[in-house]
Amino acid sequence: MNNALSVDYLVATPAEQADVPGDLETLETIRQRVLWLSTSMIHHANRIRPNPSGLKVGGHQASCASMVSIMTSLWFEQLQPGDRVSVKPHASPVLHGINYLLGELDEKYLTTLREFGGLQSYPSRSKDPDNVDYSTGSVGIGATAPIWGAMARRYVETTTGGAGSAGDRCAGSASGRQYSLVGDAELDEGAVWEAILDPGIADLGEVVWIVDLNRQSLDRVIPNIAANRLEKMFDAAGWQVITVKFGTLLEELFTRPGGQALRTRILDMPNPEYQRLLRCSADEVRTRLPGDGPGSGSAEISTLIAGLDDATLTAAIRNLGGHDLAALTAAYRQIDDTRPTVIIAYTIKGYGLPTQGHPQNHSSLLSVEEYTSLAAELGMDSANPWGRFTADSDAGRRCASIADRLRRDPVPALPDLTIPADIGRTPKGTATTQAALGRVLLDLTREAPEAAKRVVTVSPDVSSTTNLAGWVNKVGVWSSAERRNWFDDDAETIMHWREKPTGQHMELGIAETNLVGLMGELGATWSRWGQPLFPIGVMYDPFVERALEPWSYGIYAGGQSILVGTPSGVTLAAEGGAHQSIKTPSIGLEQPGCISYEPAFAIDTEWTLLASIGRLGRPDGTSAYLRLSTRPVDQTLAAVPTDPAARERRRRQVVAGGYPLMRRDGAVVTIVAMGAMVTEALAAADRLAEQSIPADVVCVTSPGLLFEALQARQGRGPGESWILDQLFPADRATPMVTVLDGHPHTLAFLAGINQVRAAALGVSKFGQVGSLDDVYRYHGIDTDSIVRAALDILP
């Protein structure tokens, strides 16, 4: 197995393994039933359910079998009601099988794996009918979610006191452990190590990872899995490392004459050689296992295994710790709840199935004959596979007892919170939309203090440069324990980093995937504990793409949050192409479960941010993405109406997707601009007017909402289309120039509202360093370019 250790780690001993609670025979009976149910769900989906299209249905019988022992021991021996578990994606049938035995899933769903409206391919909080703690499926993201779940729960506990429940067990948390069941290949994901290494999680003693070390990937046996390297990496990050390597049978053999030679031989052999032994008959094992190298101890090993019958020998070679219920229970008893723990459990992919240990068994399916043979081996009926245990059986009583123990209290009703729609101030002078972010948050603390207490901001070491300094000074930085601020008496320190359990700002290292992972879990507290939070994450807009997948997956899993990308676009001229975002407006337009805004003025920022906060933390809620700028803009250009009714009409338009900024009599062209480009659009309209070419100017705040309105008008989606009539009335339909600091296709669809000629201006190539005028001219979004485009499309 090629993994000799050079660091001392905790390993369960035979004595510890023998002294475990519970009836191992009953647990083994349940384990076999879980194996059968998970295998049968996949078998039915592929071999029995009609499939007229002939497309692959799929499923992972071998990956499930690898996890059955770990999950059986965890659920039926270890879990408490306050614990939560993230299950590796390909083991979802195991989770459903366990929930079925516990009475949490109706039998009708067992035949619906990967069927429309049925059990999902991978565990899903939002789509599966049974209890799923964490959505998984995107490699590495579901694995790290319990880390951010633990942090979110601690935040709720210290700021609202609302995450406590039955099952108190951890020194660092009032509500239990956060388990993550991870495949060894999943540890190849860089996002996993970004999370593990973040210094903020060193004190999260409720975090427990269990690594399914089956040493296989999709296509092969991994030749150099280097388990000792993984152990050292976790250890270096401050985690407790517990290795569950061998089961009780092998450990007992190691105590016999020749046992130490056998142990050394198994540890030193390459992974592929060991995996090949799993496919051998007893006679082949007797030939291969001793080895033939000098000093290999082959003679001692031969003598030892000569005294074993065939069944014991083949069982021994498969007796790894990850399938030994006693060894697993012993490992759980060693968990240190003062720091994160990883349990590395050696397993066999496909354990208990005819395909066990085969290098290509990842997505292979049992044949009908193999399935029937497995049924006979397990004492099951292949024609009627869905039987539960009888209530008067030992296994039935255990299932009923565990179901009762794990039953959670209902989620409390959500508090009634009022979010103001309008603070009431009209910004004057010159300001940026980025600076407006911090001002709105501070205003919220005065106008709606109860709602403001639910706001939690998150950033990757960019708090001051994204104008959050005032907010951070006001509310403090969250920490599980109060820490002294050694610069509080330094008169030149403007930003005060006061860390305390009631702080409302959380800052991680520079790892965007960590940031949005935490945002997703902070945004799910309403559904877990009835305590809504309003998480607002801030990062440089060019890095939104780096964070997109985990943020999108958090939205899919029910985490509602606001992502603020700032500064944005080529307007960040002096930073050059590497720091100039081009595609992010399209991301906002296309991301499901999210409303995107790119405000042009400070008042637009206020209204859209308040509206976005108002949509968080509720069953019908949605996330938001705000794209802000550092470009100073004359706020009088917003021409905010002074009449209260007209002002409210403007606010509704801003929140709905846009507003008419300038209407000129007899307009023959319409300039549509977004964000920072409004200044150029207004200047272009003035220059066209000098040529007796009147132009309307429309300011778009959300292309996504306008597209949804267009779809609704055409009968292709729900919602209202009134905003289109106010922005682009048919009686003012003229040729259109669209311009934004981003890819031009973002607004190009607007010309289709009234079927007019159009020119779409924007950024479609990497940026350049330079002055704002030079950069805008280079990309063709300056005032001259807008004027030329308008002249080109006029009749």
Side-chain angles (χ1 to χ4, degrees):
M1 298 167 80
N2 199 27
N3 62 337
L5 302 183
S6 58
V7 179
D8 289 331
Y9 297 103
L10 295 175
V11 181
T13 67
E16 289 171 325
Q17 293 170 5
D19 180 23
V20 294
D23 183 345
L24 290 180
E25 185 176 345
T26 300
L27 271 184
E28 175 59 22
T29 300
I30 295 173
R31 187 199 71 80
Q32 291 183 12
R33 186 63 58 90
V34 173
L35 173 65
W36 170 255
L37 288 171
S38 62
T39 304
S40 296
M41 280 183 244
I42 300 168
H43 181 80
H44 186 280
N46 288 273
R47 304 290 193 196
I48 298 176
R49 193 168 68 217
N51 182 11
S53 71
L55 292 175
K56 174 186 174 183
V57 175
H60 301 83
Q61 289 173 329
S63 294
C64 285
S66 183
M67 287 295 301
V68 164
S69 302
I70 291 172
M71 293 177 66
T72 300
S73 65
L74 186 61
W75 259 263
F76 291 91
E77 278 284 356
Q78 187 66 22
L79 287 187
Q80 301 296 323
D83 298 343
R84 281 178 165 78
V85 187
S86 173
V87 176
K88 83 169 189 177
H90 292 163
S92 63
V94 181
L95 175 62
H96 298 310
I98 289 173
N99 282 340
Y100 173 64
L101 292 179
L102 295 177
E104 297 291 334
L105 183 66
D106 194 277
E107 181 180 324
K108 67 181 181 181
Y109 288 107
L110 301 184
T111 59
T112 68
L113 181 67
R114 300 191 172 212
E115 182 179 72
F116 186 80
L119 298 177
Q120 300 300 296
S121 304
Y122 310 122
S124 172
R125 284 195 74 215
S126 57
K127 295 179 181 294
D128 275 319
D130 53 339
N131 183 48
V132 175
D133 290 330
Y134 290 99
S135 296
T136 58
S138 193
V139 178
I141 296 174
T144 59
I147 291 176
W148 315 123
M151 195 172 289
R153 182 164 61 190
R154 288 202 182 195
Y155 183 87
V156 169
E157 287 169 359
T158 58
T159 58
T160 72
S165 68
D168 184 354
R169 70 145 102 220
C170 290
S173 171
S175 301
R177 293 177 180 149
Q178 299 275 337
Y179 290 91
S180 187
L181 308 182
V182 187
D184 52 7
E186 199 165 12
L187 296 179
D188 290 343
E189 281 289 338
V192 167
W193 295 102
E194 285 184 346
I196 290 169
L197 294 171
D198 192 281
I201 72 166
D203 297 329
L204 298 180
E206 62 267 41
V207 171
V208 179
W209 282 28
I210 305 175
V211 178
D212 171 18
L213 195 74
N214 60 44
R215 302 168 305 285
Q216 286 187 231
S217 61
L218 180 64
D219 299 317
R220 61 173 182 154
V221 174
I222 302 174
N224 296 301
I225 191 65
N228 60 319
R229 178 170 57 88
L230 295 176
E231 291 166 336
K232 291 177 182 178
M233 291 169 71
F234 276 103
D235 180 73
W239 288 49
Q240 178 193 26
V241 181
I242 301 173
T243 302
V244 188
K245 190 169 298 183
F246 301 118
T248 52
L249 175 55
L250 267 178
E251 290 284 6
E252 192 279 326
L253 290 178
F254 295 156
T255 65
R256 299 184 186 184
Q260 188 56 45
L262 175 62
R263 188 179 191 278
T264 301
R265 166 72 171 130
I266 293 175
L267 286 175
D268 289 347
M269 70 172 59
N271 289 324
E273 182 182 4
Y274 180 82
Q275 297 286 105
R276 182 64 185 90
L277 288 176
L278 302 174
R279 308 290 300 169
C280 291
S281 66
D283 288 343
E284 290 175 311
V285 172
R286 294 183 194 280
T287 301
R288 292 172 177 258
L289 180 56
D292 54 9
S296 64
S298 59
E300 296 177 77
I301 297 172
S302 296
T303 300
L304 172 59
I305 64 177
L308 305 178
D309 59 58
D310 288 354
T312 301
L313 177 60
T314 54
I317 205 65
R318 293 170 173 78
N319 186 225
L320 298 185
H323 302 301
D324 191 290
L325 298 172
L328 289 166
T329 302
Y332 300 141
R333 298 170 86 189
Q334 300 179 62
I335 294 174
D336 173 7
D337 286 320
T338 66
R339 56 176 174 154
T341 294
V342 60
I343 298 174
I344 299 179
Y346 281 66
T347 61
I348 298 168
K349 196 162 187 175
Y351 181 76
L353 301 180
T355 56
Q356 63 183 336
H358 193 283
Q360 280 88 48
N361 68 5
H362 180 78
S363 56
S364 65
L365 299 169
L366 300 189
S367 67
V368 173
E369 294 75 16
E370 288 173 328
Y371 179 73
T372 303
S373 176
L374 179 66
E377 180 182 334
L378 298 178
M380 300 302 299
D381 182 357
S382 60
N384 299 287
W386 313 121
R388 284 192 176 102
F389 296 112
T390 58
D392 60 349
S393 66
D394 289 340
R397 283 190 288 269
R398 174 66 71 87
C399 289
S401 172
I402 296 302
D404 185 62
R405 186 182 79 196
L406 296 181
R407 193 165 290 114
R408 294 170 180 164
D409 296 332
V411 175
L414 298 176
D416 186 16
L417 300 170
T418 300
I419 311 297
D422 187 352
I423 299 298
R425 183 186 305 133
T426 301
K428 295 180 173 59
T430 300
T432 71
T433 55
Q434 176 179 288
L437 169 68
R439 283 200 294 270
V440 174
L441 292 177
L442 288 173
D443 285 342
L444 193 63
T445 64
R446 294 184 287 268
E447 298 295 322
E450 289 305 310
K453 288 178 182 177
R454 303 279 175 168
V455 173
V456 51
T457 54
V458 190
S459 70
D461 196 30
V462 293
S463 303
S464 58
T465 56
T466 54
N467 289 89
L468 286 181
W471 162 260
V472 173
N473 286 344
K474 173 78 172 179
V475 301
V477 178
W478 182 83
S479 173
S480 57
E482 190 151 356
R483 296 173 179 165
R484 180 173 177 179
N485 176 18
W486 291 96
F487 289 87
D488 58 0
D489 58 349
D490 185 342
E492 296 183 6
T493 299
I494 298 175
M495 187 173 182
H496 301 290
W497 206 254
R498 299 188 179 97
E499 297 180 82
K500 54 187 179 179
T502 56
Q504 291 179 243
H505 178 73
M506 305 176 79
E507 186 155 296
L508 303 177
I510 303 178
E512 288 77 15
T513 55
N514 289 352
L515 177 86
V516 296
L518 176 57
M519 286 170 57
E521 291 306 315
L522 290 168
T525 58
W526 67 271
S527 61
R528 296 194 190 278
W529 305 294
Q531 295 289 350
L533 297 176
F534 306 142
I536 301 174
V538 181
M539 68 176 64
Y540 290 163
D541 195 65
F543 306 148
V544 167
E545 293 177 63
R546 189 182 303 172
L548 180 60
E549 186 198 2
W551 186 55
S552 176
Y553 212 79
I555 296 174
Y556 166 80
Q560 300 164 12
S561 61
I562 298 173
L563 179 60
V564 178
T566 183
S568 63
V570 300
T571 298
L572 193 61
E575 292 289 342
H579 277 66
Q580 295 174 350
S581 50
I582 296 170
K583 296 175 285 184
T584 48
S586 302
I587 289 171
L589 174 67
E590 297 160 6
Q591 173 60 47
C594 169
I595 295 175
S596 65
Y597 290 110
E598 185 166 345
F601 300 101
I603 191 67
D604 299 351
T605 304
E606 175 190 310
W607 287 338
T608 56
L609 179 61
L610 292 175
S612 298
I613 292 174
R615 299 186 187 105
L616 299 177
R618 63 192 204 195
D620 61 342
T622 186
S623 295
Y625 163 47
L626 271 65
R627 190 173 188 255
L628 305 184
S629 174
T630 51
R631 182 184 182 185
V633 174
D634 180 0
Q635 298 301 300
T636 62
L637 296 177
V640 180
T642 56
D643 179 81
R647 179 186 176 101
E648 172 59 16
R649 180 173 182 267
R650 167 69 71 84
R651 187 199 68 81
R652 291 180 66 243
Q653 290 173 334
V654 168
V655 171
Y659 54 96
L661 186 56
M662 177 187 291
R663 295 291 198 203
R664 284 201 163 116
D665 293 339
V668 296
V669 67
T670 300
I671 302 173
V672 181
M674 188 166 75
M677 303 312 305
V678 165
T679 300
E680 276 64 35
L682 290 171
D686 289 342
R687 285 176 50 182
L688 288 169
E690 293 171 0
Q691 303 176 57
S692 300
I693 303 174
D696 285 346
V697 177
V698 173
C699 179
V700 168
T701 55
S702 176
L705 287 178
L706 296 185
F707 183 76
E708 289 179 9
L710 181 58
Q711 292 287 88
R713 172 181 284 184
Q714 297 173 345
R716 295 187 176 90
E720 300 176 342
S721 60
W722 62 267
I723 187 64
L724 300 181
D725 297 325
Q726 296 194 8
L727 267 63
F728 308 107
D731 61 357
R732 297 190 73 88
T734 63
M736 179 183 295
V737 177
T738 62
V739 59
L740 75 154
D741 185 356
H743 199 281
H745 87 80
T746 308
L747 300 178
F749 73 92
L750 295 174
I753 295 173
N754 290 314
Q755 302 297 314
V756 297
R757 295 180 64 189
L761 307 182
V763 181
S764 55
K765 52 189 174 183
F766 288 115
Q768 297 286 339
V769 171
S771 69
L772 197 63
D773 290 342
D774 288 340
V775 170
Y776 278 4
R777 189 179 305 110
Y778 172 75
H779 290 286
I781 56 175
D782 58 322
T783 302
D784 285 351
S785 296
I786 297 172
V787 171
R788 282 196 299 270
L791 295 173
D792 287 343
I793 60 174
L794 287 173

